[in-house]
Amino acid sequence: MKRIGKQTISFDSPPTILETASIVGPKEAQGPLAKYFDQCLEDEFWGEKTWEKAESKIIKETVNTVISKSGIAASDIDYCFAGDLLNQCISSSFGLRELNIPFFGVFGACSTFVESLCLASVFLDGKAASNVLCATSSHFCSAEKQFRFPLELGNQRPPTSQWTVTGSGAAIVSASGKGPYITAITPGKIVDMGIKDANNMGAAMAPAALDTLITHLQDLDRKPSYYDMIISGDLGYIGKEIVTELAETKGYNIKNNYEDCGVIIFDKEKQDTHSGGSGCACIGTTFSGYFFKQLRNRKLNRILLIATGALTNATTSQQGESIPGIAHAIAIEN
Amino acid sequence: MEFIQSIDWMGILKCFIVGGIICVIGQILIDKTKLTPARILVVFVTTGAILGGLGIYKYLIDFAGAGATVPLLGFGANLAKGAIQEVQTSGLLGAFVGGVKASAGGIAAAVFFGYLASLIAKPKIKKQ
Amino acid sequence: MKPINTNQEYSNYVDKKSPNSPILKNCFNAFWVGGLICTIGQLIMDFCMYKGLDQTSATTVVSITLIAISAILTGLNIFNKIGKFAGAGSLIPITGFANSIVSPAIEYKSEGYVMGVGGKMFTVAGPVLVFGISASVIIGIIAVLFI
């Protein structure tokens, strides 16, 4: 592998995304992408007593699903990278504790899935591993409880707010295989444009997504049209519009091939999700469920996946701090 | 049935309108200032206490009845009224005893029913 | 469109891009639901006074009854729907205060009845009591000085 330009790494023998799996909650199951997910739950508890236990179970079962779908024995997986939104990434730790695979806890807020894929690719191309597992999860109820208000509180959600996706996405990446290949990664910088409104995460993260996108294109000397699709994680309607418009002011036209997972996972009108989906599982499940199948069926051949994260916590946002954003990009090609 | 005949419908109308207007003020605060629900409640209870302390709020209660006492402004005004009344009978001690004493029913009910509800109810997701 | 370079420019741009709450609709719903809750209170109060209670006791009965109704509706997962629809209409009446105590009590049940329910019950409504009671004490002290 080698560094190209300011931030990008390209791989000599690009790792293959061997298999993906996704499990989603009931609200996502009513959304437009329902048929692409491996499993849709009927209730948010999934037989558990707490939201936190339910989230751990979701990531655990998603990982079990991806392992059995891939046909690789769990003992042949060398490392796993996983993370989530709950304090100290507890859903991943509980969900994966019985797996017996060396574990790296990763925190990149909602960018965790792609951050894990970045790290896995470097491990694989560096010959440190031959199979690596990446997983992430989020849960609407546990996230609301930790970051916002109790679910029973009768408050109104402002139109800029986003709906945390309940679910988990997991992928197994291998050093050898027939693709889709991870050909390059662009880890992002922390970008903070001073947005403080915790109900407008899309606007807080959009500058980071834009920075990573432009850096990636400059580093590799590519035009946006190189990709069949540029996909951001969970910017929602407002963030998507901001990225599209600001990219244009910098001379990049992405109007025709840019989509956001937060926009497509829910039906805004029918599901009352305001600015769209968010959470680690937003890009985790949308990529694992929908886009990976599009790559496999060759309906898409080159995509740029940009996962976005809001690096905030409940305490600092009460202290009036702004919300730093981050975005990591990976290029996936057949 | 005698009770229904005894209802002062004009009073009910005043109550409805005043109560509604107080809530609209709260709604404008929510939509325009992005204050969290907890902050909105604090603003209302404190404003109510000040208006009650200045002796202004009782005119609104006389006019609108529950339309003024049910909103949280009334809770604040009641705290202030209780403190002032108790001061008149027992001096400085009254400043500490009066407010909570006047509002004890509401506070105790909220704590008690809150605990009771937690024993029975299970957290559920918003289905929206 | 001009390129955006500073935080201030971005903040102004975001404000322009972000849709506002439908304030007229929200205010209308807040008005009639809030008015209705107060009217229910007034009917309870009239009934208490019809039965011979004095105004102060009747007011307290109104508070307790509305708090009990609000607690039940919160437990049945109905209050949050009313709240979403009515906004301040259900928040500003005493029902909102009750809801803000009952909802964390239910939510944190999973952390146990002592530190979960007991400890977290006031996470939302605690400030109301702190500021309300403190204000009443200050007003009481001022009353001592001037009356």
Side-chain angles (χ1 to χ4, degrees):
Chain A
M1 74 190 110
K2 63 174 183 292
R3 261 281 287 282
I4 299 179
K6 280 196 289 185
Q7 280 161 245
T8 303
I9 300 169
S10 83
F11 298 112
D12 304 325
S13 44
T16 283
I17 301 177
L18 198 66
E19 190 55 87
T20 61
S22 53
I23 297 180
V24 297
K27 193 178 181 82
E28 293 69 24
Q30 290 159 7
L33 301 180
K35 63 177 179 206
Y36 298 101
F37 302 120
D38 289 295
Q39 191 176 348
C40 296
L41 304 179
E42 275 167 25
D43 81 301
E44 287 81 4
F45 274 115
W46 205 4
E48 298 293 331
K49 280 209 173 86
T50 67
W51 308 125
E52 292 76 14
K53 277 192 170 148
E55 185 175 336
S56 301
K57 182 171 175 183
I58 293 174
I59 188 168
K60 180 181 169 183
E61 293 304 324
T62 309
V63 164
N64 289 343
T65 308
V66 76
I67 292 174
S68 66
K69 272 170 81 178
S70 72
I72 287 184
S75 54
D76 290 337
I77 297 172
D78 304 304
Y79 299 100
C80 67
F81 293 86
D84 56 272
L85 292 176
L86 296 191
N87 289 336
Q88 285 76 38
C89 290
I90 201 66
S91 314
S92 308
S93 306
F94 281 167
L96 307 185
R97 67 182 156 189
E98 284 139 27
L99 210 57
N100 263 326
I101 299 174
F103 169 79
F104 291 95
V106 177
F107 181 78
C110 310
S111 71
T112 300
F113 188 63
V114 169
E115 189 178 351
S116 302
L117 289 174
C118 287
L119 296 170
S121 309
V122 172
F123 262 62
L124 291 163
D125 200 38
K127 311 271 182 281
S130 38
N131 297 298
V132 177
L133 171 72
C134 298
T136 192
S137 68
S138 56
H139 194 301
F140 175 78
C141 303
S142 61
E144 286 292 304
K145 184 175 169 183
Q146 179 173 311
F147 292 102
R148 295 182 190 93
F149 298 111
L151 295 170
E152 285 76 15
L153 193 71
N155 60 326
Q156 285 175 325
R157 302 161 53 80
T160 52
S161 67
Q162 291 175 252
W163 190 278
T164 306
V165 169
T166 300
S168 165
I172 289 177
V173 193
S174 293
S176 58
K178 291 185 201 137
Y181 302 104
I182 299 175
T183 50
I185 62 172
T186 307
K189 298 193 292 266
I190 298 173
V191 179
D192 189 339
M193 291 290 273
I195 297 295
K196 292 183 178 174
D197 185 358
N199 278 311
N200 199 350
M201 292 293 193
M205 299 186 293
L210 186 71
D211 184 81
T212 303
L213 169 66
I214 291 176
T215 309
H216 175 85
L217 296 173
Q218 285 174 345
D219 284 351
L220 293 170
D221 197 20
R222 284 176 185 169
K223 289 200 176 88
S225 57
Y226 175 87
Y227 294 102
D228 298 333
M229 189 84 103
I230 294 167
I231 301 148
S232 60
D234 56 351
L235 296 177
Y237 286 87
I238 297 166
K240 181 185 169 188
E241 208 178 311
I242 291 174
V243 168
T244 314
E245 284 193 9
L246 294 190
E248 204 177 3
T249 67
K250 307 240 176 188
Y252 296 90
N253 183 352
I254 55 170
K255 276 181 190 150
N256 299 323
N257 60 342
Y258 169 51
E259 196 46 271
D260 182 77
C261 297
V263 168
I264 59 174
I265 192 164
F266 292 121
D267 183 329
K268 188 189 183 189
E269 304 306 323
K270 283 191 202 140
Q271 298 190 281
D272 197 22
T273 42
H274 299 268
S275 191
S278 68
C280 297
C282 187
I283 194 167
T285 57
T286 307
F287 173 75
S288 303
Y290 178 66
F291 287 113
F292 182 68
K293 292 188 177 80
Q294 301 286 309
L295 284 163
R296 260 212 179 149
N297 300 338
R298 311 252 159 190
K299 284 185 182 141
L300 293 172
N301 289 310
R302 286 169 173 172
I303 66 167
L304 183 66
L305 201 59
I306 308 172
T308 44
L311 301 175
T312 183
N313 77 23
T315 309
T316 56
S317 99
Q318 270 178 6
Q319 291 168 346
E321 299 279 352
S322 58
I323 302 167
I326 191 151
H328 301 296
I330 51 172
I332 306 172
E333 301 176 62
N334 272 322
Chain B
M1 282 307 104
E2 249 179 82
F3 164 64
I4 291 178
Q5 282 160 10
S6 78
I7 292 172
D8 167 17
W9 292 104
M10 197 56 209
I12 296 282
L13 185 67
K14 286 184 201 164
C15 160
F16 179 81
I17 290 173
V18 170
I21 289 172
I22 293 173
C23 293
V24 167
I25 296 170
Q27 188 66 44
I28 293 170
L29 282 177
I30 292 178
D31 287 345
K32 287 285 171 194
T33 62
K34 295 184 172 163
L35 289 173
T36 57
R39 282 169 193 266
I40 301 272
L41 293 180
V42 166
V43 168
F44 269 79
V45 82
T46 315
T47 311
I50 294 167
L51 292 176
L54 293 171
I56 299 167
Y57 204 73
K58 67 168 186 281
Y59 297 111
L60 195 62
I61 296 176
D62 289 343
F63 178 75
T69 57
V70 169
L72 219 59
L73 284 173
F75 188 73
N78 197 34
L79 281 163
K81 190 180 105 189
I84 294 172
Q85 277 178 352
E86 199 77 12
V87 162
Q88 284 162 350
T89 56
S90 51
L92 186 58
L93 185 63
F96 290 89
V97 177
V100 180
K101 198 168 156 187
S103 315
I107 298 171
V111 171
F112 175 72
F113 290 120
Y115 199 86
L116 205 64
S118 78
L119 293 178
I120 300 161
K122 201 179 167 189
K124 277 199 197 100
I125 190 173
K126 291 179 191 179
K127 298 277 185 208
Q128 67 212 349
Chain C
M1 210 186 107
K2 280 189 304 188
I4 281 171
N5 296 313
T6 66
N7 287 7
Q8 191 55 47
E9 281 169 9
Y10 186 64
S11 167
N12 295 342
Y13 168 70
V14 166
D15 285 344
K16 223 168 52 197
K17 280 279 134 199
S18 306
N20 288 318
S21 303
I23 192 160
L24 276 177
K25 190 186 110 201
N26 284 353
C27 283
F28 176 74
N29 291 342
F31 178 77
W32 76 261
V33 175
L36 187 68
I37 292 172
C38 293
T39 303
I40 295 169
Q42 184 68 49
L43 289 172
I44 298 168
M45 188 147 113
D46 286 353
F47 185 73
C48 292
M49 287 166 78
Y50 173 76
K51 287 284 175 195
L53 260 68
D54 64 86
Q55 192 179 353
T56 312
S57 311
T59 308
T60 307
V61 172
V62 169
S63 296
I64 294 173
T65 315
L66 289 179
I67 286 168
I69 294 172
S70 174
I72 293 167
L73 292 178
T74 304
L76 292 174
N77 201 31
I78 295 171
F79 195 95
N80 55 25
K81 293 181 187 100
I82 300 173
K84 183 184 157 48
F85 174 78
S90 57
L91 174 72
I92 299 298
I94 196 86
T95 47
F97 174 68
N99 171 248
S100 64
I101 287 184
V102 179
S103 57
I106 295 172
E107 182 84 354
Y108 288 96
K109 189 180 173 178
S110 54
E111 277 82 313
Y113 284 105
V114 176
M115 289 318 288
V117 177
K120 304 273 189 173
M121 195 181 249
F122 292 101
T123 45
V124 185
V128 174
L129 293 177
V130 171
F131 283 87
I133 291 171
S134 302
S136 83
V137 171
I138 293 169
I139 288 163
I141 292 171
I142 294 172
V144 171
L145 297 175
F146 290 97
I147 293 172

